[in-house]
Amino acid sequence: MARDYTINRVPQGAKSEIDYRKELNDAQFAAVTAAPGPALVIAGAGSGKTRTLTYRVAYLLDNGIAPKNILLLTFTNKAAREMLQRVEELVPYETGDLWGGTFHSIGNKILRRHATELGWERSFSIMDREDQKELMNAVIGESEFDTKATRFPKPDVLLDVFSLSKNTGEEIADILHSRYSYFHHLAEPIIALQDDYETKKRQTNSMDFDDLLEKTLRLFHENPGILTHYQQQFEWVLVDEYQDTNTLQAELIDFLGAPQKNVMVVGDDAQSIYSWRGADFRNILDFPERYEGAKRYVIETNYRSVPEILTLANAAIAPNTKQFRKDLAPARPDRQELPGLIPLNDTATQAAFVAQRILELRDEGIELNEIAVLYRAHFHAMEIQLELTKRGIPFVITSGLRFFEQAHIKDVAAYMKFVYNRRDEVSFKRVVKMLPGVGAKSADNLWKEWLACDESKAETVHSFSDVMLGFKIPAKAKSGFEQLAFTLDELVDSEGKPKPPAPMMPSILGGVYEDYMRSKFSNFDNRRQDLLQLQKYSEKFEDLEEFLSQLSLLAGQDAVAATQDEPDSESVCLSSVHQAKGLEWRVVFAVWLADGMFPNSRVIDEDDENQTGLEEERRLFYVAVTRAKDELYLTYPLMWHGSFNGEVIQRPSRFLDDIPTELTEEWNVGTSMW
């Protein structure tokens, strides 16, 4: 019988002299000094999660664990750098051998050593999104399937489907059925293209970001000796933001932590909000079952927000049934001011309220950098952006391009620009290149045919179809080009003059553009909502020239601002809640809190019996309110003219119903006569 024998660790010289008991609260101290074995640390919003992890690393080093035996996994390079830098400041040891970084960076480091085992050279290239699209275009060009004969998904959409399949473990056909139902009938060629894409990556010695996880796992599956080497090296595995892990990441953690099971994961189930990109909420909920005997530590003291905000946050998340119950406790004193609940007449009034209140807060001494406006969907910010611009309030967008810079907004504007200015070559080519089978060369030929028309006829044409249906069209584009010509006919009146912008919108969407959006953009539903909001804005204009001028000026103003603003200049932050996670501000405006907006209508309509989608939306709301340190304003418009059917009466978000009335102060907002 083999004899068990343990070698006691010897500390690496002088200890750090950290007084862990003094530096940490009781819950943090318990987690930091946890005994070997699996541990789940539930760290509530603003409770010092990063502090807990960095002190845990320092504690391990102080107890003789060699840096090379510690693996620290994070989701961002910034988080990894901050934690490793903090560890270096805390301890007197050389920590260069500590493996710390994102899941993808650790996968890359391992694959650089062992790529040949999988058929790649160690010098493999890592493709960014543009590289992936170029390679995907090459694969499509070499395929036998005629992707131009039908409305086939563009490379961006295909890559999103492939990525979801890898990160969730779902079959391509299932993903198409559940998320891209309008392409489900194309499952067979899409699956074939994925196989060709994988082959092409090997031929070009290239990997994408998903490969850095998937290929690392394959390496371990196919090479037990290599897996054993890393299992023996990484005796201690620490994971940040565990609630955001997907299937691949959870499996990687399980592999590396298998022998000793010294796995400590830190996260907050109440902030799991990324299922749409593959994160699996079940990973954190099921951790105690995955790791038998796991200890659970709950850190509930919040150092960020005033008690009034925390009480509201606790009430907001309480209805979720699938969660580790916690009760955020304040470290700060009462502020004697409740969060504001502000119903407003319509979206324009909401924008005016936000802008005016921001100016008042600035006068009260709160810098614009300490103020954020958070929303569920990008189009929710459109009117607020316009109002801030009108009032000269500088702002930055963390959730992507400013509204009028987005591709689908420019696409729709191109239809209108060409109808208004029949000599607008750029707009004409932008529109025709959306059609299947029309590239740069075909677009140029079509433009020459347009110019060849009698100039006076082109300028005053009453029927675009009378002129354009005589053009020489690529066979694959014939049907789409005919529809385009008829769509342009609908954009002018009986005298050939452009209609006002609002009546144009249904014709453009109902013509060829909606199908184009489905194939081009993976977030089709969100972009369609943007266009509905653009239609609402366009109703203010009877004159197309004025509308197009406003669009151009606003987009130009955005572009100038983007080039002139200094990184540290004072400006309000506008952000989606997803992008705001991990950030904080003194004042937060959570806007558009109406049913169908937040939570969004898709979740309300499609939610299953277990309310999986609705519970994630509630977690998203929880993330929004816990970003606020001092002041929180919850707003919603009572009316929204956002559909083609006229005004819609808005019901307050059901999440607001979960908050007792005594936890908020309702504001009655009126409009001055002067």
Side-chain angles (χ1 to χ4, degrees), residues 342-345 349-350 352-353 356 667-674:
I342 304 99
L344 296 149
N345 185 52
T349 310
Q350 178 177 246
F353 169 79
Q356 180 171 307
W667 290 37
N668 296 316
V669 177
T671 303
S672 170
M673 295 293 293
W674 303 102

Side-chain angles (χ1 to χ4, degrees), residues 63-76:
N63 282 274
I65 306 300
K68 69 177 182 179
N69 297 133
I70 300 173
L71 173 63
L72 174 62
L73 291 166
T74 66
F75 272 85
T76 66

